[in-house]
Amino acid sequence: MINFIQSILYGLTIGGILYIISIGLSLTFGAMGIVNFAHGLIYAVGAYALYTVATLLGANFLVGAIAAVVVSIPLAYLIERFIIRRLYGQSIDYAIIATYAVLLIGADALKWFFGASPLPISDPIGELWYFGGLQMPAYRVIIIALSIAVFVGLSLFFKKTLVGKIVVAGLQDREAVRSLGIRVERYFAIVFIIGSALAALGGVLYAPLSTLDPYMGFEIIILCFAVVIVGGMGNLKGTAVAAFGLGLVHSLTAVYLVSSAADAAVYVVMAVVLIFRPIEASA
Amino acid sequence: MLAKIEKNPLLTLALVTVLFLIYGYATSLPKITDFIIFCIFVIGFDLLYGHMGQLSFGHMLYLGAGAYGCSMFANWIYPDPFISILVGIALGAALAALLGTVVVKTSAAAFALLNLALNEVGAYLVLSPLHEWTGGEDGLSLFFNSYGWIDFNDATFRFYFCLGSLLLVTFIVLRLVRSPYGILLKSIKENETRVKFLGYNTFMYKYVTFIISGAIVGFAGALTSVNLAYCNTSLIAPSRNVEVIFAALMGGAGKVMGAIVGGTAFMTISNYLASYIVRWEMFLGVALLAFAFWFRKGIWGYARKL
């Protein structure tokens, strides 16, 4: 029983990180119909920024995390300005190909600067917390708390602020918002950058649980597409539910079935959802 | 002039043969055999992307099905090269027929991502649960019976066999896309709803095309494993999908000759240029961006107007 609860909590950690990374992807997909593989690059850059600041320069983990978010913002702006913006209203194939190319270029650049071998990052807290008979690394507890905080924060942002309200309205009906004289694409660009900063944060959070390698963006982005598809594009609550659900699937498969099947189980869920609830073509 | 040659299937085939013979004897036959097989893969992929208008991000699955079908038959049942290759084609087609029933119903982003998900699952199945039959990470080695001069251990024979296969596939696909069926396929690409309203069962046309594509790609997979004399997980790795997409885009999607030009150009770059360009993947990415933004017609699209 303790084991079961523990694996659920581990699943929630993965789910929380998946949620933080996926939310930007979900909004871009829902708002613009663009399948953005470049999101995986920002995630990887976040992790490497942490590595540079925290390990190479010897600063604090928290400083590293802030550096990752700071680095991701101009990068996201450049990607939005020069790649994504050119793809609005075009065939979806070119969006997939172009953003995949950006991911490829970025991964090669990371390999150039940091080498191809996996780099470890140590757990910044390194303590175990006990809840009754249950023991959990403090770091994982904090991740779960943080992802819930991000969810609450984003919900408030979309409900209470003007920018958030415009974006939500734009997700429902872009043309109607535009006809009010609001340049809705600008607001989507703001959300794109917020989503990218969260992806970088996701990279930071995931780094101590795994190792860094230049191709880490490729692996996570497909898991995130699974989250976006299962949760529904541009659906805030759906993305959260799907992220935690798939995190649980991942962790429970690894514990109770075969550990190497965890990723495959997530893809199976994604395939099943695509089959029974196909997304509409927006191009 | 090239556009005139393109109109006549026999001239096209002759041009392809002559150019590959020159290229093969000028450089090295075993290497060009690789290029030829890759061209078959691109033709099969482009049937979906260029002619039907659906980008698949998981076509390594069918390449892997062909390669594993062929090598598992040769390894575990009977090492006859022809039956093994036929088994590879059949497995590619059967897998496409099975998965196509659900995949073909989706379109655009869902089509791309569903194929990707299935490819990931397939790669996992080959690597882990089926490793006793597929050889897991070590892969399988192949040895074939030889019949007189029909000897698949001989590189020159393999070159001519693969060249013949490419000509056959090119001919079939040329006939296919220029038949009323192919014209309907192009109409589906342009506007599926309209074709549906004309009373055609568009699902059936797309489904059959998906199976044909699976068979051709399976053929390419079988030939790859025969040519390499082994089969391992790199033949089903989802990350290698970008190669075929890039080749199709570079040559010019929607033209059979474009697929051959793109396949050859891509293999030339990745084989010869890669030893000069250190940042090879970055170069690939930048070129991919350029083709996606500015040169959408591809090399053949511009060259055929000369």
Side-chain angles (χ1 to χ4, degrees), chain B:
Chain B
M1 196 185 91
L2 285 174
K4 264 185 202 154
I5 292 178
E6 196 194 17
K7 279 209 180 91
N8 185 334
L10 289 179
L11 278 179
T12 309
L13 294 185
L15 184 72
V16 170
T17 314
V18 170
L19 290 180
F20 270 118
L21 281 176
I22 294 174
Y23 201 8
Y25 277 99
T27 53
S28 85
L29 284 185
K31 205 158 224 178
I32 305 305
T33 315
D34 264 358
F35 293 18
I36 291 172
I37 297 169
F38 188 69
C39 287
I40 299 178
F41 182 22
V42 182
I43 291 176
F45 169 80
D46 196 47
L47 198 58
L48 290 184
Y49 177 53
H51 298 281
M52 198 173 91
Q54 299 291 353
L55 176 70
S56 161
F57 228 85
H59 243 53
M60 289 301 288
L61 179 63
Y62 302 101
L63 191 83
Y68 275 99
C70 173
S71 35
M72 277 157 66
F73 184 86
N75 220 300
W76 301 114
I77 301 174
Y78 187 67
D80 181 274
F82 295 105
I83 304 179
S84 302
I85 290 173
L86 284 179
V87 169
I89 298 173
L91 193 62
L95 198 61
L98 179 71
L99 300 178
T101 51
V102 289
V103 172
V104 173
K105 283 187 182 145
T106 61
S107 62
F111 186 86
L113 296 175
L114 182 54
N115 272 304
L116 182 57
L118 292 174
N119 195 344
E120 294 273 3
V121 175
Y124 163 73
L125 287 179
V126 163
L127 184 66
S128 195
L130 301 177
H131 75 271
E132 276 183 38
W133 295 283
T134 60
E137 258 177 59
D138 302 327
L140 296 171
S141 296
L142 293 181
F143 304 97
F144 287 117
N145 291 339
S146 59
Y147 308 102
W149 57 271
I150 301 177
D151 181 6
F152 277 87
N153 302 313
D154 176 28
T156 316
F157 177 78
R158 285 202 305 268
F159 172 78
Y160 284 105
F161 185 80
C162 292
L163 185 58
S165 309
L166 175 69
L167 295 180
L168 180 73
V169 168
T170 310
F171 183 70
I172 293 173
V173 174
L174 274 177
R175 287 300 298 267
L176 201 67
V177 299
R178 286 170 190 177
S179 66
Y181 164 86
I183 293 163
L184 201 71
L185 204 60
K186 207 139 238 177
S187 322
I188 291 175
K189 178 186 177 184
E190 299 299 331
N191 193 334
E192 188 176 345
T193 321
R194 225 175 258 181
V195 179
K196 226 181 239 170
F197 277 139
L198 288 174
Y200 291 103
N201 183 353
T202 55
F203 171 78
M204 217 49 218
Y205 280 89
K206 286 162 75 179
Y207 183 57
V208 170
T209 313
F210 196 75
I211 296 174
I212 296 172
S213 169
I216 295 174
V217 173
F219 189 20
L223 288 177
T224 312
S225 67
V226 167
N227 188 39
L228 298 172
Y230 73 80
C231 174
N232 71 359
T233 46
S234 75
L235 294 181
I236 197 169
S239 56
R240 287 185 55 199
N241 268 305
V242 64
E243 297 175 4
V244 68
I245 295 172
F246 181 60
L249 202 66
M250 186 154 108
K255 291 269 183 291
V256 181
M257 274 304 280
I260 298 175
V261 170
T264 317
F266 175 82
M267 289 302 270
T268 308
I269 292 173
S270 66
N271 268 283
Y272 294 111
L273 231 55
S275 42
Y276 300 105
I277 299 174
V278 185
R279 304 254 63 90
W280 146 244
E281 279 171 326
M282 207 177 270
F283 174 81
L284 183 72
V286 172
L288 203 51
L289 273 184
F291 277 104
F293 281 138
W294 298 294
F295 307 109
R296 291 190 175 175
K297 279 198 226 157
I299 298 172
W300 182 251
Y302 292 100
R304 65 196 283 272
K305 286 198 186 131
L306 297 176

